[in-house]
Amino acid sequence: MYGHNYAVPGTYEITIVVADRRPVFGEIVGTTKVGGEAPYLKPSALGQAVLNNEIPKIHHYYPMVDIWQVCLMPDHMHLIVRINQPLPKGKHLGIIIGAFKGGISREWWKLSKTTVSVASATESHPPLFEPNYNDHILMRDGQLENWKYYLRDNPRRYMIRREFPDLFQRTLCITIGGVRYSAFGNMLLLRQPEKHQVFFHRRTNGISTEETDFWKTESLRLASAAKSGDVLVTPGISECEKRIKNMALEQKLRLIHIQADPIGQYWKPERSRFEACAYGSLLILAPWTEDMPTFETDYDCFHYLNRLTEAICAIGHTTNVSVQGLRIAHSD
């Protein structure tokens, strides 16, 4: 965060990623199936060194810093870092994380039985980590507990994606009616025969839509259709659209959610949409940013996404829907 002082007391969630997503820290074992051992990381020698040696060094060298929680995954790690007192002059969180990454890299070189000096090792080894790191400043009520839960639950989510890959398909280019999207989730929802557009203005005839008879009847119709197995399609922008979208997520009803934010190679949804993907009830679509028009107002964006929603609802079994040149097969 530009302008934030990373040397003063604060709480941070840190994410550090291995270059090329190499699974150097171990493997996730266990299962999400009932009666099986819950998923967890079985650490490699490097993973053990991180947990037993490198993480404790942070507090050793900086007694005013505590590591409140650690989640080590095969190709990345999360830390919840608490700075309790101002750091020494000239020090800040970035310096601590840089030294931490450096210590792990040296341990990696040692385990790789490298005999060259540390100074020249960078010339003979590719970097272990991607540049820099990602941080979230935990300031809002409930934010810390949400991240603690996320970190504890990470191995389970990893194993769900492995055990049910069809429910977590990702593509960076799917073309529907000439419009390019990135997508994440259950692609088969596109071929469901009954799809309903969820489209509500914020106001109808000068009053809030939530107060109209139209909202009462239409919301009941959409809920009934979804409970019978039909697919709801919406960007979930207006308040009424959000209500229907959230109802579908909570009740694991079939939903195609159109979002303006792009879906990249490592993008993944937040908890509620992740759980819906795991259940097989959600597909998330994001139109390519470079293909979207320039919007003068949020209202223009609202209508554009709803026009895309209308087109997706019109997909039939003969509609040409292609993923990187491959047509999605029809499925019941």
Side-chain angles (χ1 to χ4, degrees):
M1 179 183 292
Y2 291 106
H4 180 76
N5 186 348
Y6 283 90
V8 299
T11 307
Y12 306 90
E13 184 279 324
I14 303 296
T15 301
I16 303 170
V17 179
V18 176
D20 300 322
R21 292 280 178 164
R22 289 166 288 177
V24 297
F25 296 133
E27 62 175 330
I28 301 295
V29 297
T31 180
T32 62
K33 299 175 183 177
V34 176
E37 186 176 23
Y40 67 95
L41 179 85
K42 182 179 180 181
S44 63
L46 180 60
Q48 289 282 13
V50 171
L51 295 171
N52 298 335
N53 302 327
E54 299 306 321
I55 287 176
K57 286 180 183 178
I58 294 177
H59 181 72
H60 174 77
Y61 289 110
Y62 297 92
M64 70 290 297
V65 177
D66 289 325
I67 306 301
W68 278 359
Q69 193 161 330
V70 177
C71 175
L72 193 63
M73 298 295 286
D75 58 5
H76 68 281
M77 73 178 76
H78 301 279
L79 308 174
I80 295 182
V81 179
R82 174 62 188 176
I83 300 177
N84 295 304
Q85 300 174 12
L87 293 173
K89 185 177 180 180
K91 303 294 184 181
H92 55 74
L93 181 63
I95 291 177
I96 295 174
I97 299 302
F100 174 63
K101 291 170 65 177
I104 299 173
S105 295
R106 288 188 290 273
E107 186 65 27
W108 178 53
W109 296 329
K110 183 174 71 174
L111 291 170
S112 299
K113 297 182 174 59
T114 300
T115 57
V116 297
S117 67
V118 170
S120 62
T122 55
E123 299 177 1
S124 58
H125 280 271
L128 175 59
F129 294 107
E130 289 186 355
N132 303 316
Y133 61 94
N134 179 267
D135 74 85
H136 291 89
I137 306 172
L138 307 186
M139 297 184 292
R140 300 190 306 271
D141 290 342
Q143 198 175 13
L144 174 60
E145 292 306 315
N146 288 343
W147 271 107
K148 285 183 176 180
Y149 176 87
Y150 180 89
L151 268 55
R152 289 194 300 269
D153 198 43
N154 223 0
R156 183 185 70 91
R157 293 194 306 273
Y158 178 99
M159 189 58 69
I160 287 175
R161 294 197 298 273
R162 177 188 293 179
E163 292 180 338
F164 306 100
D166 290 345
L167 306 182
F168 292 91
Q169 295 184 61
R170 182 200 309 271
T171 177
L172 301 183
C173 185
I174 176 172
T175 303
I176 304 172
V179 178
R180 294 181 295 181
Y181 299 83
S182 47
F184 186 99
N186 186 358
M187 299 289 187
L188 296 180
L189 294 180
L190 286 171
R191 291 301 192 188
Q192 292 299 316
E194 294 291 339
K195 295 185 284 292
H196 302 263
Q197 182 180 11
V198 180
F199 179 31
F200 293 96
H201 287 278
R202 290 182 174 87
R203 301 181 69 81
T204 302
N205 296 326
I207 63 175
S208 176
T209 299
E210 300 100 293
E211 301 174 4
T212 65
D213 290 337
F214 172 71
W215 158 250
K216 295 176 183 177
T217 57
E218 184 67 359
S219 61
L220 289 174
R221 183 189 73 81
L222 291 168
S224 176
K227 290 174 182 176
S228 71
D230 295 352
V231 178
L232 303 179
V233 187
T234 183
I237 296 176
S238 70
E239 183 59 36
C240 289
E241 290 175 2
K242 288 178 183 177
R243 289 189 184 188
I244 298 295
K245 180 197 75 174
N246 292 336
M247 178 270 296
L249 291 174
E250 291 168 4
Q251 299 183 29
K252 302 297 189 294
L253 305 176
R254 291 173 170 178
L255 174 69
I256 297 177
H257 182 212
I258 316 299
Q259 67 176 39
D261 294 335
I263 294 174
Q265 185 176 2
Y266 300 121
W267 180 93
K268 55 188 174 182
E270 76 290 345
R271 177 182 172 187
S272 62
R273 291 194 293 171
F274 181 94
E275 297 294 345
C277 285
Y279 194 77
S281 61
L282 178 63
L283 172 65
I284 304 168
L285 295 174
W288 278 27
T289 303
E290 50 267 52
D291 291 354
M292 294 175 66
T294 301
F295 304 115
E296 295 184 1
T297 66
D298 291 341
Y299 191 71
D300 292 337
C301 181
F302 168 79
H303 276 285
Y304 174 77
L305 293 178
N306 272 294
R307 285 196 298 272
L308 296 182
T309 298
E310 184 178 6
I312 290 166
C313 285
I315 291 174
H317 71 281
T318 61
T319 305
N320 184 3
V321 177
S322 62
V323 179
Q324 296 178 342
L326 298 176
R327 182 173 297 180
I328 297 177
H330 172 68
S331 172
D332 293 330

